[in-house]
Amino acid sequence: MGKTRNLWLGLAALLVVSFSVLLWAGGEIFRAAPPVPERVATPDGTTLYTRADIERGRQVWQSMGGMQLGSIWGHGGYVAPDWSADWLHREAIGVLDLWARAEGGAASYEALPAEMQGALRARLQASMRRNTYDASTKTITVDRDRALAMSNVAAHYVSLFGNDPATHSLRESYAMKEDTVPDAGHRQALTAFFWWTAWAAATERPQAAGDTGKAVTYTNNWPSEPLIGNTPPAPLWLWSVFSVLFLIAGIALLGWHHARTHGQDEVHTLPATDPLASLRITPSMRATAKYFWVVLALFLTQILLGAMTAHFQVEGQQAYGFNLSEVLPYSITRTWHTQLAVLWIAVAWLGTGLYIAPALSGHEPKFQRFGVNFLFTCLLIIVVGSFAGQWLAVMQKLGLANNFWWGHQGWEYADMGRFWQWFLFIGLLLWLTLVGRALWPVLRGPKSDTKAIVGLLFLSTVCIGLFFASALMWGEHTHISEVEYWRWWLVHLWVEGFFEVFATAVMALIFAKLGLVQTKSAATAVLFATIVFMTGGVLGTLHHLYFVGTPTAVVALGASFSALEVVPLAYIGFEAYHTWKMGKSTPWMARYRWPILFFMAVSFWNLVGAGLFGFLINPPLSLYYMQGLNLTPLHGHTALFGVYGMLGIALMLFCMRGLRGQMHWDTRPLKVAFWSLNIGLALMALLTLLPLGTMQLLAAIDHGYAYARSAEFMQQPIVDMLVWMRVPGDTIFSVGAVALAWFVFRLWVAPRPAIEVEGARAREH
């Protein structure tokens, strides 16, 4: 027990230090965040925008779908432009065109000779990068020419978000419905918010005393915009190089550890029969079946919405001639698609927790079945209620006063209204209670190696329940930099962190209960794996925050520790090989062949999706150009479904082996599902997301970020072709999902007892 105890102490120390540093980094982000002015004015005192305009504009942006329709500071959807970069580029061109007409006698900046263009660009950089925010009056002052350019850009957005025929084709290109924001006053307020996000991206942050480095904007010179001199600052280059060094060093250390410990396990005798074949299925365990039915329903719905969302990129407002945007606009299909991705995976894991807790302890607490059923009902209410509120918000039927609590918050992966977030948080606490009370006999029992793994499982359950509270840490008017900090606590730490620990513990317990590994070895391995993962996982959260008003120290921490996130994935092949060996170790393991194969798929996509494609975009210099391009969903799709989705399916199949193990399993649909899901995901990545993202990356480096996200670039014939190339992969993927659903459907609707099938086969022979 000494080694296990030391690992527990090491994990506790790691988490205390990591979260202390993460909280300190949050304080630094809040301190360095771009100020929201009380007033934006010209030198003669004319007020252009007020703080109320900016805050109201943000409310409008959130109500129409927020990050699901275009992006802000690189976070959000990919069809419409990044509004910060788009405004910044349009304003810069507007000022340059004014000067070209007034001083160069040309119709536009592009018509000037190169020497005069260079002179005007230098003048523009000095003007737009200069910080004119007066902290004493909380006023930003802009000159007359810039104010005129701002007015022209605002007029463009007022037209775009309405139903002006002049911008109809652009709305189609951006997959925006007509009258996205029907109220003219709201459209004008929206321009104030967009301008402020662009101002923060163009304006240099005040330098600290003694800082001799080159000044950078509040967003660390993001986005790339050659007209105003937004280029990657030196720290991004430096910490990108160091992140590669940390990665190499981490892999070397883990390789040394593996070589030193490899082969030290004692010889282990495998059971002659399946230890779980005689598992008593309690009423609450049986009640979890409905969770897995809902998992499949949500999964199929998510695929359908994903197909609709992808098709919007081709036809804009229609689907094969039907004006779909008037009923289900892009921003709502993408909202539901991204939320369902998290929801069906989470429900699969919640159902697994409720199933496995009584299985481990053999204890069925009083009213446990009622609690499982009550939680199931609550989850259905949350899904239906939050989705209805989001639709009403995007269709502008809810009103700004009600949107934050009941409608669409606009933050990607944290879209549901605050009431539904509270409801879900309470539901997770109920889940924590149900799992904890079933595990309690093991937790309070004598010390054992099994207790160590169960303890880690329970602690991850506690963290899953409690850390969703990070979604409640911001208010309706909290600064966007602070919202982003807490949002990534939710998306990165909750989904990618503690669910990962939960899954690791569950898999270790499954293999230990099956007798495939020694419990002592499993306890040591799962604790060590948790330490390795959390070493980079906690502070790796900061790599999402490079360009949201983050100081250099936070960029350095994010770059260093996000590189360490990849370290355990570099040796994921050992895990896959070990899992494969266990699947063939004894004849009765054939019962678990398909859960084992899905576990192997998790290992593969962990290496490719989370490892290779994750590290492709994570270093600061890479993310400077790639954030919000199609290389981001390349990582997102292959990591979210490839790792967490495949794992959710594997856990679901394992639970079903217990729930319907007495029934004959016709595994032909599972074979179709396994290969179709993996091949479809690979084709989606290789035929569309990777080539399209690479094209955008080259465009961003050559011409600036705004061009890489513009309609001019995204409406090229080759881009249309690449989007259509998703059809083969998406179709194959959908076949796999339907096959999986058919397999589960047959297990309950038309089951055949395994004894009956085996008897029939014996008679045939």
Side-chain angles (χ1 to χ4, degrees):
M1 295 296 292
K3 187 174 183 179
T4 303
R5 180 175 180 274
N6 290 337
L7 287 172
W8 274 112
L9 292 174
L11 178 60
L14 170 69
L15 291 178
V16 168
V17 172
S18 296
F19 276 100
S20 297
V21 176
L22 186 61
L23 289 168
W24 169 84
E28 290 298 294
I29 291 173
F30 300 169
R31 178 188 59 79
V36 181
E38 293 294 330
R39 184 166 166 263
V40 181
T42 59
D44 63 7
T46 302
T47 298
L48 303 176
Y49 294 126
T50 65
R51 184 188 185 100
D53 294 330
I54 296 170
E55 292 186 349
R56 175 56 63 91
R58 192 178 103 176
Q59 287 180 293
V60 175
W61 170 72
Q62 290 178 263
S63 73
M64 72 183 194
M67 289 179 176
Q68 303 295 354
L69 184 64
S71 57
I72 292 291
W73 292 347
H75 294 290
Y78 311 105
V79 177
D82 181 272
W83 304 114
S84 310
D86 188 66
W87 181 294
L88 178 57
H89 183 74
R90 289 177 183 277
E91 183 181 331
I93 286 291
V95 173
L96 290 171
D97 284 347
L98 283 174
W99 290 344
R101 289 192 293 270
E103 302 173 19
S108 68
Y109 163 76
E110 292 294 333
L112 292 173
E115 296 159 6
M116 184 169 287
Q117 285 184 351
L120 292 185
R121 280 199 309 273
R123 179 177 164 190
L124 179 72
Q125 290 176 22
S127 172
M128 293 192 70
R129 295 181 68 88
R130 183 171 62 252
N131 195 331
T132 60
Y133 175 71
D134 186 337
S136 61
T137 62
K138 297 184 178 180
T139 299
I140 295 174
T141 304
V142 297
D143 60 45
R144 181 183 60 82
D145 290 339
R146 188 173 179 186
L148 181 56
M150 288 165 56
S151 175
N152 292 335
V153 178
H156 164 75
Y157 280 107
V158 168
S159 168
L160 178 66
F161 285 87
N163 58 4
D164 187 350
T167 47
H168 171 74
S169 62
L170 206 52
R171 279 192 293 277
E172 282 194 319
S173 299
Y174 294 163
M176 295 171 59
K177 73 182 187 74
E178 298 297 311
D179 254 351
T180 300
V181 181
D183 187 286
H186 287 175
R187 293 200 298 273
Q188 188 62 42
L190 181 64
T191 68
F193 174 64
F194 285 168
W195 174 82
W196 175 80
T197 64
W199 173 85
T203 302
E204 293 177 352
R205 176 192 290 124
Q207 291 182 283
D211 186 353
T212 57
K214 192 174 181 180
V216 297
T217 70
Y218 286 103
T219 57
N220 287 315
N221 283 5
W222 188 93
S224 170
E225 179 49 74
L227 293 177
I228 68 162
N230 261 13
T231 57
L236 297 192
W237 292 84
L238 174 68
W239 291 107
S240 295
V241 172
F242 273 106
S243 72
V244 176
L245 295 179
F246 291 141
L247 172 63
I248 295 171
I251 291 174
L253 285 172
L254 192 60
W256 171 81
H257 177 271
H258 178 80
R260 188 175 67 86
T261 59
H262 182 63
Q264 290 185 4
D265 294 339
E266 300 174 10
V267 177
H268 180 55
T269 303
L270 298 176
T273 59
D274 181 0
L276 296 181
S278 58
L279 178 68
R280 182 177 70 90
I281 304 298
T282 68
S284 70
M285 293 168 66
R286 200 172 302 282
T288 61
K290 63 179 72 69
Y291 283 76
F292 302 120
W293 303 339
V294 168
V295 163
L296 292 169
L298 296 180
F299 183 30
L300 292 173
T301 305
Q302 189 221 351
I303 292 172
L304 176 62
L305 289 166
M308 293 165 62
T309 303
H311 191 78
F312 270 126
Q313 190 168 348
V314 178
E315 288 201 69
Q317 296 177 331
Q318 299 186 347
Y320 302 104
F322 177 69
N323 194 4
L324 188 64
S325 66
E326 293 304 309
V327 182
L328 290 175
Y330 173 89
S331 55
I332 200 66
T333 62
R334 189 177 189 274
T335 297
W336 291 348
H337 175 68
T338 55
Q339 277 203 238
L340 284 173
V342 176
L343 283 172
W344 77 258
I345 293 171
V347 172
W349 293 16
L350 296 181
T352 299
L354 294 170
Y355 172 87
I356 206 168
L360 291 171
S361 66
H363 173 59
E364 175 84 349
K366 193 175 182 180
F367 301 120
Q368 183 78 354
R369 181 173 178 273
F370 172 79
V372 170
N373 291 333
F374 180 74
L375 177 60
F376 177 78
T377 303
C378 290
L379 290 175
L380 290 183
I381 293 172
I382 290 168
V383 172
V384 174
S386 64
F387 279 31
Q390 288 161 356
W391 184 85
L392 290 170
V394 168
M395 301 305 288
Q396 298 291 290
K397 298 178 182 295
L398 198 60
L400 298 186
N402 299 314
N403 180 67
F404 178 76
W405 276 91
W406 303 98
H408 200 308
Q409 285 203 42
W411 308 111
E412 192 176 26
Y413 297 110
D415 306 274
M416 62 177 60
R418 178 52 51 87
F419 172 81
W420 304 109
Q421 288 178 331
W422 271 108
F423 198 167
L424 182 55
F425 178 58
I426 293 170
L428 289 169
L429 293 182
L430 174 58
W431 175 72
L432 163 60
T433 303
L434 292 171
V435 174
R437 68 202 294 259
L439 290 175
W440 190 244
V442 179
L443 295 172
R444 72 178 182 181
K447 289 184 178 181
S448 67
D449 294 313
T450 301
K451 185 176 181 179
I453 310 178
V454 173
L456 188 62
L457 173 67
F458 178 68
L459 286 178
S460 65
T461 304
V462 171
C463 290
I464 289 170
L466 297 182
F467 269 78
F468 186 78
S470 56
L472 309 174
M473 297 301 291
W474 66 80
E476 188 171 9
H477 299 293
T478 302
H479 194 289
I480 186 174
S481 298
E482 298 178 34
V483 174
E484 282 292 87
Y485 173 76
W486 291 115
R487 184 174 75 91
W488 286 108
W489 271 58
L490 175 68
V491 178
H492 184 92
L493 280 175
W494 188 67
V495 176
E496 300 180 33
F498 296 113
F499 266 116
E500 179 91 7
V501 176
F502 173 82
T504 303
V506 167
M507 289 174 63
L509 283 166
I510 288 173
F511 290 143
K513 280 290 184 181
L514 288 172
L516 300 176
V517 296
Q518 289 183 319
T519 306
K520 182 178 180 180
S521 300
T524 302
V526 73
L527 280 169
F528 179 76
T530 301
I531 289 172
V532 172
F533 178 78
M534 297 305 281
T535 297
V538 176
L539 292 178
T541 306
L542 299 173
H543 80 255
H544 299 284
L545 304 171
Y546 294 148
F547 312 118
V548 296
T550 304
T552 301
V554 176
V555 173
L557 284 170
S560 303
F561 284 91
S562 66
L564 296 180
E565 286 185 280
V566 185
V567 169
L569 306 181
Y571 279 79
I572 210 74
F574 296 129
E575 177 188 328
Y577 178 68
H578 186 56
T579 302
W580 179 79
K581 282 202 307 180
M582 286 192 289
K584 292 180 170 292
S585 57
T586 184
W588 56 261
M589 272 302 292
R591 287 167 50 86
Y592 299 97
R593 179 169 186 258
W594 291 104
I596 290 290
L597 284 175
F598 275 101
F599 282 140
M600 288 185 63
V602 171
S603 299
F604 172 79
W605 289 110
N606 235 334
L607 175 61
V608 175
L612 297 179
F613 294 151
F615 191 71
L616 172 69
I617 67 172
N618 280 355
L621 186 60
S622 300
L623 199 59
Y624 178 84
Y625 289 107
M626 297 182 194
Q627 181 163 282
L629 305 184
N630 275 271
L631 292 173
T632 305
L634 171 69
H635 163 61
H637 281 76
T638 53
L640 184 57
F641 178 79
V643 178
Y644 299 103
M646 292 288 188
L647 186 53
I649 294 172
L651 294 174
M652 178 180 71
L653 291 176
F654 172 79
C655 295
M656 287 184 175
R657 177 49 80 180
L659 291 169
R660 306 299 281 178
Q662 74 279 19
M663 300 301 170
H664 170 63
W665 277 35
D666 180 0
T667 57
R668 288 174 296 178
L670 284 182
K671 182 177 182 180
V672 173
F674 176 81
W675 290 111
S676 296
L677 290 172
N678 281 282
I679 293 171
L681 181 60
L683 290 176
M684 182 197 309
L686 297 177
L687 297 183
T688 297
L689 298 177
L690 181 59
L692 179 53
T694 303
M695 286 177 55
Q696 284 185 292
L697 172 61
L698 293 173
I701 294 172
D702 285 342
H703 305 291
Y705 187 84
Y707 174 71
R709 292 284 302 272
S710 67
E712 179 184 358
F713 179 87
M714 294 300 292
Q715 295 304 309
Q716 296 178 89
I718 189 172
V719 173
D720 277 351
M721 183 196 73
L722 288 173
V723 175
W724 277 108
M725 288 295 288
R726 280 193 61 160
V727 172
D730 287 358
T731 302
I732 293 171
F733 188 90
S734 301
V735 169
V738 171
L740 179 64
W742 175 251
F743 168 78
V744 176
F745 178 78
R746 288 292 304 273
L747 274 182
W748 264 271
V749 175
R752 296 180 65 190
I755 295 176
E756 176 186 313
V757 175
E758 290 168 4
R761 287 176 177 172
R763 287 190 296 272
E764 289 174 3
H765 294 285

